Amino acid sequence: MTTSRIALIAAATSLVAWIAKATAVAAAGGPGRTTWEDTLFFVGLATQLIAFVAVVLSLTGSRPVVVRLGALLGGAVLVFGLVTVLQLVIERVQPADASWVWGEINLWVVASLLLGLAVLAHQRATSHTVPAAPLHHQPA
């Protein structure tokens, strides 16, 4: 399995996990009322980390190891910066009586962006592949 395919599967799984977590919390009547909340959080977090690493490795596939490691570190700094900015924006626009949903928005936004990057990485990886030759010659 290629890193771009791993990135795609992991990114989609993380987004589904965050949506499932929010659904479980809503069905339970709020945070801290269901055991699924923690389980789905860890699934979402683990698959998001896997997707992040796989996206970076897929996009830097032909680069030297030092460049790939630098991209991982730089990407991590960018993700933490993005999450910080998102959190600040959310705090400014949320209503005074905000529900728990406002605290989940950053998870959905980051997962959606990561899924978009994973799709891009997968398209890029598959556009560089050469189709296999036919096994036998068919007369015209």
Side-chain angles (χ1 to χ4, degrees):
M1 185 175 295
T2 64
T3 54
S4 68
R5 184 169 289 184
I6 292 169
L8 197 56
I9 292 167
T13 303
S14 83
L15 185 57
V16 169
W18 295 135
I19 292 168
K21 175 185 175 283
T23 303
V25 170
R33 297 183 179 161
T34 176
T35 57
W36 284 103
E37 184 177 356
D38 290 340
T39 302
L40 291 168
F41 175 82
F42 288 117
V43 169
L45 181 62
T47 54
Q48 200 160 23
L49 288 171
I50 291 166
F52 168 75
V53 170
V55 163
V56 172
L57 293 178
S58 179
L59 292 175
T60 61
S62 61
R63 306 280 190 250
V65 173
V66 173
V67 173
R68 297 175 91 186
L69 289 173
L72 282 169
L73 291 174
V77 169
L78 285 174
V79 169
F80 283 117
L82 172 66
V83 170
T84 301
V85 169
L86 276 171
Q87 201 58 39
L88 291 172
V89 169
I90 290 167
E91 287 173 6
R92 287 200 169 257
V93 299
Q94 72 184 6
D97 59 342
S99 72
W100 60 270
V101 174
W102 286 89
E104 303 285 307
I105 292 173
N106 62 343
L107 299 175
W108 305 328
V109 169
V110 172
S112 298
L113 290 173
L114 191 57
L115 181 57
L117 286 172
V119 168
L120 178 71
H122 188 66
Q123 287 175 343
R124 185 174 163 201
T126 55
S127 70
H128 289 53
T129 34
V130 178
L135 294 175
H136 54 39
H137 177 69
Q138 302 238 345

